[in-house]
Each structure stands twice: as C-alpha cells, then as structure tokens.
Amino acid sequence: MKEHEITLADFEKKFTATRNLSKKFKFYWENKVFVETHDPIKNIEYIQKMLQAAIKKEDKHIEHLLYIFQGYLYKRDGIYDKALNLYYKSKNYFYLKDDKQNYAKIISDISVIFATLGLHNQACYLWKDLLRNYVDKKSYYQRGLIMNNLISTSITSYQNFEQVEVVLNEILEELKEATNNAYHYNFIYCKSMINMGYYHFMKYNDNKKS
C-alpha cells in the first residue's frame, strides 16, 4: 500500500488487525515514513507494541531492527546516550549474522553521534572502515551518504584537509555508474557539490590565514 493511498485511520485499523508479527512489521516498514511524519507520538507506540511482541515471540531479527528505529528517533531528538545504548545492543547481532547493510547503518549512525559530540577522529575512522570493509561498491546511495558525512566532518574539524577534494572526486566517479536511480544520483550529487563549494570556501580562508 503506497503512502498517498492510506490515511492514519486506515493504517491504525490494518496495523491493529494484523496478528502475524512479520506481516505487521512489513506493513509498518512500508508506511513508516508516512506514520512518523504525520503522527510521531503514535509512531513510537507502534514500535513499542511490535517490540513487545518480538521479545515475547523471541524474534531477534525484528527485535533488533526495531532497536535501530528507536535509536534513530533518539538520535534525531538529540538523546544520544539512549540512542547509543540501542545501537550497541544491536550492532553485534547484525555483525554475527553477517548482515552488512544493517551493521553499516548502525555504525554510520554511531559515527554521526560521535561527530556531533566532537569526536571527529572516532567518527572518521568508523566511516572509513565501513567504506573499506562493509558497504558494497554498488551501494552508491549508502556510500555517497557515508562519504559526504566523512567529508563534512573532515572539513569541520580541519582533519585530512588535503584528502577532502580527492574523496569528493571519488564520489562523483562512483556516481557515474549509478545511473539506475536518478533520485539517488541527484541527491548525492547535490550534496557533493555543496560540500565541494564549502571545501573551497574553507580552503580559501585557510590559505588567507597562512
């Protein structure tokens, strides 16, 4: 069911009527952006209900996916201690399951928190490790987001300043192969261009100081 074809009342009715946890989770996943945007309070309630059911049924996979959702909400709201607690709870699970996609998402979110708290070295180290070892070369969208996070943090903290332009150009090179999804291409391309402009602005100011 597409987001524009459903109302909050429709979602509530079907969510409540769906007894099978996997089907309930799938239905929620398909509509989570819509629900989170239009009723963030109820969204938290839905996550809690599914989490309780997952723990009761010992469905570890859904349980840890829901921890990621909860962690994201705490991260978004700046409650970093609770977000980190949930991310640390789930990262080993996905690592042991060799689920690189969800593991990379968790580690990248942890890195965002580190960067926000001023722990730039730790954040950059984790992002570089993800790019080298965990994010598939053809996952252009995810790689682009991680690279841009790495670049933004490097610029902000004046770390590895000489490498920033190299990484930006790497993003653009990778994007040449990402023609299968115009939205992802344009999204990452625009972010790259913004960072490129900011990089040259910072570089210019840095040269003036020296």
Side-chain angles (χ1 to χ4, degrees):
M1 188 174 289
K2 297 181 181 178
E3 289 180 10
H4 66 273
E5 295 177 342
I6 192 171
T7 66
L8 288 172
D10 291 334
F11 179 88
E12 171 80 27
K13 183 177 180 180
K14 184 168 181 179
F15 181 87
T16 302
T18 304
R19 300 300 180 186
N20 180 277
L21 178 59
S22 295
K23 291 181 179 179
K24 186 189 290 282
F25 179 84
K26 183 176 184 294
F27 175 65
Y28 169 80
W29 172 264
E30 292 170 347
N31 296 279
K32 69 184 181 71
V33 175
F34 170 80
V35 176
E36 181 187 341
T37 302
H38 290 84
D39 197 338
I41 302 301
K42 289 291 290 185
N43 181 57
I44 294 172
E45 292 180 14
Y46 295 138
I47 292 174
Q48 287 287 8
K49 288 179 180 178
M50 288 187 292
L51 184 57
Q52 291 170 3
I55 293 173
K56 184 177 180 180
K57 293 180 176 295
E58 298 184 347
D59 189 324
K60 293 295 182 183
H61 187 72
I62 290 181
E63 177 185 346
H64 286 283
L65 286 174
L66 290 167
Y67 287 147
I68 295 179
F69 295 169
Q70 285 186 319
Y72 163 77
L73 295 176
Y74 282 129
K75 176 175 71 74
R76 182 199 63 188
D77 294 339
I79 309 173
Y80 299 129
D81 55 338
K82 291 187 176 181
L84 288 171
N85 182 55
L86 289 166
Y87 286 144
Y88 285 134
K89 185 181 292 188
S90 289
K91 72 181 183 69
N92 288 339
Y93 170 82
F94 290 111
Y95 178 81
L96 293 173
K97 293 291 184 181
D98 198 31
D99 186 338
K100 292 183 178 180
Q101 183 176 3
N102 281 310
Y103 178 79
K105 177 174 176 51
I106 292 171
I107 298 301
S108 187
D109 277 359
I110 289 173
S111 301
V112 170
I113 294 174
F114 283 176
T116 304
L117 296 175
L119 302 172
H120 300 121
N121 286 332
Q122 293 90 324
C124 288
Y125 174 84
L126 290 174
W127 278 319
K128 289 176 183 177
D129 185 52
L130 288 179
L131 291 172
R132 282 193 300 263
N133 300 309
Y134 294 100
V135 182
D136 189 274
K137 289 288 185 182
K138 293 186 178 181
S139 296
Y140 305 110
Y141 181 68
Q142 189 175 18
R143 289 183 68 82
L145 288 178
I146 292 173
M147 284 179 170
N148 272 302
N149 286 336
L150 178 58
I151 291 163
S152 298
T153 302
S154 297
I155 294 172
T156 302
S157 62
Y158 292 93
Q159 296 181 75
N160 302 317
F161 208 63
E162 69 283 357
Q163 297 181 24
V164 172
E165 192 166 359
V166 174
V167 179
L168 278 166
N169 287 325
E170 286 179 3
I171 293 177
L172 299 180
E173 283 299 315
E174 290 198 13
L175 282 173
K176 289 179 181 178
E177 302 179 35
T179 55
N180 60 322
N181 191 315
Y183 171 78
H184 287 174
Y185 177 91
N186 292 330
F187 181 76
I188 298 301
Y189 183 84
C190 289
K191 288 176 72 69
S192 300
M193 288 298 97
I194 291 169
N195 273 322
M196 182 72 85
Y198 187 49
Y199 159 73
H200 285 294
F201 172 76
M202 296 291 287
K203 186 178 180 181
Y204 172 75
N205 287 337
D206 194 57
N207 289 336
K208 284 181 64 177
K209 291 177 184 177
S210 57

